[in-house]
Amino acid sequence: MIHTTVGQLGHFFVILSFVTALVATVSYFLSALGSGSAVREKAVEEPQLAYAGESGFGGKTAKRKRPLQQTGNLPQNDKDDWRTLARWAFYIHGAAVIGVASSLFYIIYNHYFEYHYAWSHSSRALPVQYMISCFWEGQEGSFLLWLFWNAVLGAILIRTSGKQWEAPMMAIFALVQAFLASMILGIIFGDSFKIGSSPFLLLTEAMPDAPIFTADPNFVPKDGNGLNPLLQNYWMVIHPPTLFLGFALALVPFAYCIAGLWRNQPLEWIRPALPWTLIGGLVLGVGVMMGGYWAYETLNFEGYWNWDPVENAVYVPWLVLVAALHTMLIAKRSSTGLKMAIILTISTFVLILYSTFLSRSGILGNASVHSFTDLGLSGQLLLYLLVFVVLAAVLATIKWKYIPVDTEEASVYSKEFWVFIGATVLCLAAFQVIATTSIPVYNKVLESFGKVSNMALPADQVAHYSKFQIWFFVVIALLSGVGQYMWWRKLDNKKWDALITPGILTLLISAGLIAFGEMKNPVYMALLVASVFALVSNGTILLGIIQGNYRLSGGAIAHIGMALMLVGILYSAGYTKVISINNSGLLISKQDEFTKDNNRQNKENKLLWLNQPETMGVYQLTYRGQRIEARDVPGYIPRRDVEVIEGDFHGIAQRDIEQNGKVYYKKGDTLALYPENTYYDVEYREPNGKIFNLYPRAQVNERMGLLASPDIRHKADRDMYTYVSSVPDPSAENTWEKTETYSVAIKDTFFLNDYVAILDDVIRTNEVEGLEIGPTDAAVRAKIRVLDKNGEHILSPAFVIKNRMVAHPAEVSDELGVRIQLNEIDPRTGKFSFAVNRTQRDYIVMKAIEKPLINILWIGTLIVAIGFLIAAVRRYREFGKMQNKSAA
């Protein structure tokens, strides 16, 4: 059955959201024009806004021209009518966006695979939380998620921004929404020109030439392609929404900034925008780090940051947003800070649009593992970017004359100077990253002019970016300490004496850490010293602040968190220790992945045979076999205990499924599984005899090959990070070699797959798995001892006569790679004939590394978030008080 109604309803909501966004844009624009938003310039000499007793950038109170508002040209009722219409249009737009999202999720949740989006990204095997991830795996869903957050924030701003800001600011908001809604319109003109890509396309519309639809126009697949296995992680349920909320929050200060320039009030927008900028920095920063933790838990590149172009494209706007935040703090005391705040606030939003263009236009090609394929929207994305670049640049140029000029030059002893320098360094760090990341863009531009470019991204991107970024953050850490002392006026009368104590403490602590840790790399030493200085100086300032008013502590707390993050990055990345050293002298693999870089992976991986202990550092490792995950059974169960039903997400229990003394399924029961993933049970035995197990995951994916995800043992001072580098295909049947026959007597010795085997005995038995032995039946079982270097294995093949029929149940040993059957018993000679087949023994190739002090990185991230939150609450309260005074 084809369910077309829900798709038609969803597409109607898309069109409604686009139209209402346009109506809201025009209505808010006309309301802004008619409400006196345009302010004529009137020169009035008055003191620059500053706190009592504080001077401007140059150390003296600066004079600025303050513009006065003019009354509107339209009648009062016209103004109210346009605003009322705009509000209703935006509210309807928000409801339509919710309607689009609900329709799409309904299609995914109900497995309507006749829709291309559901078929491409979902499957019946997925649990609900991963169906949510399916929602934003595709481009259309990610645009829809962005639309949703903007609609939510717009509704909040309508209620909280105040009448003077609502119309000009929401005009920008609604225009952005119109562009985003156009991305999912899916309207085609002619043969090639289209606006947007609809998430509600049927398979027959998306693939009209597929042979199956010629044979059966109503064909509906029984299942979908499923979610990218790398995205089947709980962080992918919360990371994208957080990141897109950060994108949406970055629009708020941009909209306030444009509104301020439009109203000829280039300073007044700072106060209402500041709390939103802080929340945006918090959410976007946390979203970026969530992505890092997802990569750490899910990908096997042994870290949390790989300087992938799409990672960079999100990291750069966050750096610029933080720089904009700092310049906003000094804007009311410094025209230089104000100008930079305007430029950086605009740049933050433009960079977010640019990152969207990079990741969704297909321009990165194979340069990024994160980038989307081109859906034919690259021109539309470029137009989206250029419209706002041109709009902001033209408006800022025209209104630049309204920005006051300081009468004094900057003083190195003013706090504004140091904050400005810190913001500048952040911008330089951002520029270094985006300049290299944009190399594919340069090539594309040159190609469009008929030129051939040979520029390529660095071969070792981690080394390239890190060598620059380390030094930028050495400077930023030092500036965060000095800047805090300047901000809180701890350096008086142009003397630096107050920094002597934190400087001495820094040198003592750093010297101890360098000596104790045997640190020899001078670059690491510089980063450590700078980070410790930031910790000591900001910690000293924090102690002084919390004794007065803790609400002022946000900046110091955020800087302490940043310093802790740098320490965590330094140790976890700089002092990662590989402990799975291959001491056998044998090459594990001749594949390029293992032999490149002077056989690096051959030297740093361990080959483990099933149930064969191996020494690794201080640990004794034993691979205990393959495991599978059932939907409602805790932990993992042996794969051999379940017969997986091909093409389904169920299996048949081959024996009772029991965990922690509780039987969840009886033999023969059907149970729900996550069949794509195989977990490999690796037992670690510590020198004190304590045992723990790790379960690295692998999935042999038809589209992407072997996808391995690590398992991590978290300790207070380090993480044990383990993943498999090579495994036999868990979904493949064993390939058995041709049968070999052995005829032996009791106590005879023979060779079994290169092992010494001894037939100890053949005894009568009444128990044979899978067969019921009656009183008229006969069964015997052989006892064969197989010796290897770690001990012995017992094989017990049976010989059964039941109802005058002979059965030879085979016994299979995965450890030995052997299948053996007792085929004949010759009572005259006393010899027993065994049929033996050999196969590849079960094994894994695994890598284990230790990452010291990585928890300091995650703790630092949390502390940065707390600092941003405290500062945001404080600035919001200040804005609320100002609104109340204005209303009074």
Side-chain angles (χ1 to χ4, degrees):
M1 179 179 177
I2 297 179
H3 307 83
T4 58
T5 305
V6 64
Q8 292 168 347
L9 182 63
H11 190 60
F12 164 75
F13 281 131
V14 171
I15 295 171
L16 180 62
S17 69
F18 176 68
V19 171
T20 49
L22 288 177
V23 171
T25 303
V26 174
S27 301
Y28 268 127
F29 178 77
L30 294 173
S31 175
L33 289 181
S35 64
S37 295
V39 180
R40 63 183 173 83
E41 180 185 6
K42 181 177 179 179
V44 178
E45 292 291 337
E46 67 170 22
Q48 177 181 341
L49 290 175
Y51 291 116
E54 293 185 345
S55 63
F57 202 159
K60 295 183 180 181
T61 300
K63 302 290 184 179
R64 62 169 69 211
K65 293 182 178 181
R66 183 185 181 197
L68 296 179
Q69 291 187 358
Q70 67 177 16
T71 58
N73 298 319
L74 298 177
Q76 187 72 18
N77 61 341
D78 285 352
K79 174 200 68 175
D80 291 338
D81 288 345
W82 283 122
R83 178 174 289 159
T84 301
L85 175 60
R87 284 181 173 178
W88 276 107
F90 196 88
Y91 288 146
I92 295 171
H93 164 78
V97 169
I98 293 172
V100 178
S102 301
S103 300
L104 183 58
F105 185 72
Y106 186 83
I107 288 170
I108 294 171
Y109 183 79
N110 289 283
H111 308 304
Y112 291 168
F113 295 123
E114 61 265 41
Y115 287 95
H116 185 259
Y117 198 90
W119 175 78
S120 297
H121 304 293
S122 181
S123 71
R124 295 183 183 276
L126 292 175
V128 173
Q129 67 266 29
Y130 294 155
M131 289 184 197
I132 297 173
S133 296
C134 294
F135 183 92
W136 44 72
E137 185 194 19
Q139 287 207 47
E140 300 92 340
S142 61
F143 281 123
L144 183 52
L145 180 61
W146 196 352
L147 260 172
F148 170 77
W149 282 128
N150 276 353
V152 170
L153 293 178
I156 293 171
L157 286 164
I158 288 173
R159 310 296 299 178
T160 61
S161 60
K163 290 184 178 180
Q164 63 171 332
W165 292 108
E166 180 187 343
M169 184 190 64
M170 288 304 299
I172 302 300
F173 242 86
L175 181 60
V176 169
Q177 289 297 81
F179 271 101
L180 286 175
S182 73
M183 295 296 171
I184 56 173
L185 267 179
I187 297 177
I188 301 175
F189 299 94
D191 295 330
S192 58
F193 182 75
K194 72 173 185 176
I195 301 177
S197 176
S198 173
F200 300 107
L201 280 179
L202 293 170
L203 273 174
T204 53
E205 296 169 328
M207 300 185 293
D209 298 328
I212 187 64
F213 295 119
T214 303
D216 181 6
N218 295 320
F219 171 75
V220 176
K222 292 182 178 180
D223 206 352
N225 284 337
L227 181 67
N228 184 327
L230 297 178
L231 303 182
Q232 294 180 30
N233 180 285
Y234 60 95
W235 285 107
M236 277 296 112
V237 180
I238 57 177
H239 160 59
T242 305
L243 202 60
F244 278 100
L245 177 56
F247 282 9
L249 285 163
L251 173 58
V252 181
F254 173 80
Y256 269 117
C257 179
I258 296 298
L261 293 173
W262 186 356
R263 292 165 52 86
N264 299 334
Q265 293 181 305
L267 173 65
E268 285 76 5
W269 67 273
I270 296 285
R271 191 179 291 276
L274 194 51
W276 289 101
T277 308
L278 284 158
I279 290 294
L282 161 63
V283 174
L284 189 57
V286 168
V288 169
M289 289 309 298
M290 279 182 177
Y293 197 84
W294 162 76
Y296 182 62
E297 273 201 342
T298 307
L299 306 180
N300 63 348
F301 64 73
E302 303 172 17
Y304 38 81
W305 199 260
N306 207 34
W307 296 106
D308 181 273
V310 174
E311 292 175 356
N312 297 347
V314 180
Y315 166 72
V316 167
W318 182 76
L319 280 183
V320 177
L321 179 63
V322 173
L325 167 65
H326 285 79
T327 56
M328 289 167 71
L329 294 173
I330 61 171
K332 55 186 140 193
R333 301 178 181 87
S334 157
S335 69
T336 305
L338 177 57
K339 291 174 181 175
M340 195 168 181
I342 293 170
I343 293 171
L344 295 183
T345 300
I346 292 172
S347 298
T348 300
F349 183 67
V350 168
L351 283 167
I352 284 175
L353 298 184
Y354 181 62
S355 72
T356 305
F357 172 74
L358 280 179
S359 60
R360 286 168 171 76
S361 64
I363 200 167
L364 291 176
N366 297 322
S368 171
V369 298
H370 297 84
S371 61
F372 292 93
T373 55
D374 186 11
L375 293 181
L377 303 180
S378 53
Q380 197 172 334
L381 288 165
L382 186 59
L383 177 65
Y384 182 16
L385 171 63
L386 292 177
V387 164
F388 284 95
V389 169
V390 172
L391 171 67
V394 170
L395 186 62
T397 302
I398 294 172
K399 303 294 185 176
W400 206 250
K401 61 184 178 181
Y402 292 100
I403 300 176
V405 178
D406 290 331
T407 57
E408 299 286 342
E409 292 185 0
S411 167
V412 74
Y413 295 99
S414 67
K415 58 187 178 184
E416 291 80 16
F417 174 84
W418 289 95
V419 173
F420 182 85
I421 293 299
T424 302
V425 176
L426 283 169
C427 292
L428 291 173
F431 176 77
Q432 185 270 322
V433 174
I434 202 66
T436 304
T437 304
S438 298
I439 285 175
V441 180
Y442 310 150
N443 292 339
K444 203 73 174 179
V445 171
L446 289 173
E447 287 174 14
S448 66
F449 286 100
K451 304 292 184 181
V452 177
S453 173
N454 296 320
M455 288 189 294
L457 290 168
D460 188 346
Q461 296 192 82
V462 173
H464 170 79
Y465 289 108
S466 297
K467 70 182 178 183
F468 292 104
Q469 293 296 303
I470 283 178
W471 288 110
F472 282 123
F473 275 91
V474 166
V475 177
I476 289 167
L478 294 172
L479 289 173
S480 76
V482 176
Q484 280 288 289
Y485 268 76
M486 285 291 185
W487 189 265
W488 294 103
R489 299 203 168 278
K490 300 295 182 182
L491 304 177
D492 295 326
N493 301 320
K494 300 184 179 181
K495 294 183 179 179
W496 302 84
D497 297 355
L499 289 173
I500 292 176
T501 301
I504 292 173
L505 285 173
T506 296
L507 292 176
L508 291 174
I509 295 170
S510 301
L513 292 173
I514 290 170
F516 178 76
E518 299 181 355
M519 188 178 290
K520 298 177 181 178
N521 189 320
V523 178
Y524 293 174
M525 292 180 188
L527 183 59
L528 178 65
V529 171
S531 302
V532 171
F533 176 72
L535 279 171
V536 171
S537 54
N538 281 281
T540 305
I541 292 294
L542 180 61
L543 289 175
I545 294 172
I546 59 177
Q547 292 173 4
N549 184 355
Y550 73 91
R551 292 188 180 91
L552 305 177
S553 61
I557 291 175
H559 290 156
I560 288 172
M562 180 270 298
L564 287 172
M565 288 178 70
L566 293 178
V567 172
I569 291 169
L570 167 62
Y571 280 97
S572 63
Y575 291 93
T576 290
K577 179 183 177 183
V578 178
I579 57 175
S580 54
I581 301 299
N582 177 14
N583 295 316
S584 68
L586 302 175
L587 293 181
I588 293 173
S589 173
K590 294 183 179 180
Q591 295 178 354
D592 290 342
E593 181 183 349
F594 281 79
T595 57
K596 66 182 180 182
D597 298 331
N598 192 25
N599 277 307
R600 178 183 172 188
Q601 296 303 325
N602 273 311
K603 296 174 183 177
E604 296 183 353
N605 277 271
K606 200 81 172 175
L607 173 63
L608 297 180
W609 299 103
L610 181 65
N611 291 327
Q612 299 289 318
E614 292 285 346
T615 300
M616 186 184 76
V618 299
Y619 302 99
Q620 178 179 284
L621 262 65
T622 309
Y623 165 46
R624 293 299 187 189
Q626 300 177 18
R627 302 289 183 261
I628 198 167
E629 189 177 9
R631 293 194 175 219
D632 51 3
V633 179
Y636 307 105
I637 56 179
R639 192 179 184 96
R640 65 176 178 271
D641 290 356
V642 180
E643 181 182 347
V644 178
I645 301 173
E646 191 68 29
D648 198 359
F649 54 96
H650 289 87
I652 307 297
Q654 301 301 293
R655 52 183 55 83
D656 289 354
I657 304 299
E658 180 180 340
Q659 292 282 34
N660 302 320
K662 179 181 176 181
V663 177
Y664 288 85
Y665 291 94
K666 293 285 188 180
K667 180 180 177 181
D669 287 349
T670 300
L671 64 160
L673 305 170
Y674 300 118
E676 304 103 325
N677 299 318
T678 301
Y679 298 84
Y680 296 85
D681 184 357
V682 181
E683 177 186 282
Y684 283 79
R685 183 182 293 271
E686 296 179 314
N688 59 9
K690 186 177 178 181
I691 292 175
F692 64 91
N693 292 64
L694 293 178
Y695 299 89
R697 182 186 78 173
Q699 180 179 134
V700 179
N701 186 273
E702 292 181 2
R703 291 175 293 167
M704 306 173 70
L706 175 67
L707 299 173
S709 295
D711 195 14
I712 304 167
R713 188 191 187 211
H714 303 287
K715 298 178 71 175
D717 63 335
R718 67 192 63 239
D719 278 0
M720 173 73 76
Y721 183 101
T722 302
Y723 67 92
V724 293
S725 304
S726 179
V727 293
D729 186 345
S731 62
E733 295 289 334
N734 281 344
T735 302
W736 299 98
E737 296 180 3
K738 71 177 184 176
T739 303
E740 298 176 286
T741 302
Y742 298 89
S743 182
V744 296
I746 292 175
K747 300 303 180 182
D748 278 358
T749 298
F750 61 102
F751 287 97
L752 194 63
N753 199 9
D754 299 328
Y755 297 100
V756 175
I758 303 169
L759 175 59
D760 278 341
D761 205 354
V762 178
I763 58 176
R764 189 177 180 89
T765 182
N766 292 319
E767 295 182 1
V768 177
E769 186 175 356
L771 294 173
E772 184 177 343
I773 307 299
T776 60
D777 303 326
V780 296
R781 189 182 295 280
K783 180 183 177 183
I784 302 173
R785 259 186 314 134
V786 183
L787 309 179
D788 71 4
K789 64 178 182 179
N790 296 303
E792 63 182 31
H793 305 268
I794 303 297
L795 300 179
S796 302
F799 183 92
V800 181
I801 301 175
K802 181 177 176 64
N803 299 327
R804 297 185 180 183
M805 302 290 290
V806 177
H808 315 275
E811 176 148 355
V812 178
S813 171
D814 292 328
E815 294 111 299
L816 303 174
V818 166
R819 180 175 66 191
I820 187 168
Q821 292 173 289
L822 176 52
N823 274 0
E824 293 182 8
I825 302 174
D826 189 341
R828 292 174 303 162
T829 62
K831 289 196 173 183
F832 304 85
S833 294
F834 295 94
V836 177
N837 303 93
R838 297 190 297 178
T839 189
Q840 172 66 62
R841 288 186 290 160
D842 192 11
Y843 72 93
I844 60 170
V845 176
M846 57 154 279
K847 188 170 184 177
I849 59 178
E850 286 185 338
K851 301 193 82 66
L853 301 183
I854 191 170
N855 287 327
I856 294 179
L857 168 60
W858 313 126
I859 292 169
T861 302
L862 178 62
I863 292 174
V864 168
I866 292 171
F868 270 92
L869 184 61
I870 291 172
V873 170
R874 174 196 167 197
R875 297 297 178 176
Y876 180 76
R877 286 176 173 170
E878 287 181 359
F879 174 57
K881 289 177 181 178
M882 289 296 295
Q883 275 192 314
N884 292 336
K885 287 180 181 179
S886 299

